[in-house]
Amino acid sequence: KTSITCKLSAIRSFYVYLQKEELILENPLEKISSPKLDKKLPTYLTNDEVNRFLLAPDVSKPVGQRDRAILELLYASGLRVSELAHLTLSQIDMDTREIRVIGKGSKERLVLMGKPAQEAIAAYLNDGRHQLLSKKKTDAVFINRYGKQLIERRIQKIVKQYAKQSGINKKVHPHTLRHTFATHLLDGGADLRVVQELLGHASLT
């Protein structure tokens, strides 16, 4: 199908040229659309894979506490990696387990997290983050060893590292956890429009 699409594009360009040169009156391909390419279903993790994945970080260390909180939150909330990287302390309400997220197009939405994610974040904020922060100051939730905000690329590496460590033979990215979050919600009987709102998708598609 990809080959056919490329050929049609080349033929269209040729007919456009003929039209400009007034060698033909109209383009016979104007009403012909390109064939639609098959869409692959997104990769997601099984329940067993998720359990192994979330337990991979060593929570006896500050970085492990941070990483457990990152993994739990990505899976529990369906956040985009950019949203997680820019998360600030004021956006999280630990009592109600709600997170105020600024998503694409500066649109604000509320996402929820379960108790495991709440507990992982609380452990990190009360212990690991203080050790990583040392004497530095920042409002960023997730920080590196130097007390600075984690960048998206580093979070992507963290996710890949623990996927490999937990023996998952799939290409796992932060977006994989977003797909997993949505898939598991739908499998559990959640309403499609509720999942759409939680993900911050403008279209139901």
Side-chain angles (χ1 to χ4, degrees):
K1 287 184 178 179
T2 305
S3 176
I4 293 172
T5 303
C6 291
K7 288 177 181 177
L8 277 175
S9 178
I11 294 170
R12 276 201 183 90
S13 298
F14 176 66
Y15 276 120
V16 168
Y17 166 76
L18 292 179
Q19 249 185 316
K20 284 182 179 178
E21 295 297 318
E22 298 183 352
L23 296 175
I24 59 173
L25 295 176
E26 60 182 29
N27 188 339
L29 291 184
E30 278 183 352
K31 296 180 181 180
I32 298 177
S33 60
S34 299
K36 290 185 178 180
L37 299 178
D38 293 333
K39 287 186 177 180
K40 291 183 179 179
L41 289 173
T43 300
Y44 64 92
L45 304 182
T46 64
N47 287 325
D48 177 61
E49 287 171 334
V50 167
N51 290 334
R52 299 201 319 263
F53 181 66
L54 296 179
L55 293 174
D58 180 1
V59 293
S60 66
K61 300 175 182 178
V63 168
Q65 290 181 343
R66 179 201 66 192
D67 294 350
R68 169 72 67 81
I70 287 174
L71 303 187
E72 285 278 7
L73 189 53
L74 283 172
Y75 172 60
S77 65
L79 287 176
R80 297 180 177 94
V81 64
S82 58
E83 295 168 344
L84 184 130
H86 294 93
L87 204 60
T88 61
L89 296 171
S90 60
Q91 290 176 255
I92 301 178
D93 189 324
M94 294 297 290
D95 295 326
T96 60
R97 302 205 300 271
E98 293 178 335
I99 302 172
R100 185 171 45 84
V101 179
I102 309 299
K104 284 186 176 180
S106 299
K107 290 182 180 178
E108 185 176 307
R109 73 181 191 281
L110 276 180
V111 299
L112 311 172
M113 57 178 168
K115 285 186 178 180
Q118 179 193 39
E119 290 169 0
I121 292 170
Y124 163 64
L125 293 180
N126 295 331
D127 184 17
R129 187 176 181 276
H130 285 298
Q131 294 187 55
L132 293 173
L133 195 59
S134 188
K135 295 180 181 179
K136 302 236 171 63
K137 289 185 179 180
T138 179
D139 197 30
V141 173
F142 297 108
I143 57 177
N144 59 25
R145 297 172 188 270
Y146 308 103
K148 294 183 179 180
Q149 176 184 306
L150 272 185
I151 61 174
E152 293 175 34
R153 189 174 297 177
R154 180 61 191 144
I155 295 171
Q156 290 167 347
K157 286 183 178 179
I158 288 169
V159 169
K160 287 182 182 180
Q161 170 196 331
Y162 288 113
K164 184 177 180 181
Q165 187 176 315
S166 52
I168 298 173
N169 297 316
K170 295 175 181 175
K171 288 184 178 180
V172 182
H173 309 278
H175 219 71
T176 309
L177 296 181
R178 187 167 155 84
H179 291 152
T180 304
F181 159 80
T183 302
H184 288 185
L185 276 181
L186 292 171
D187 285 348
D191 182 83
L192 191 58
R193 291 197 178 276
V194 171
V195 177
Q196 176 194 358
E197 289 294 325
L198 292 173
L199 289 172
H201 281 166
S203 168
L204 191 63
T205 307

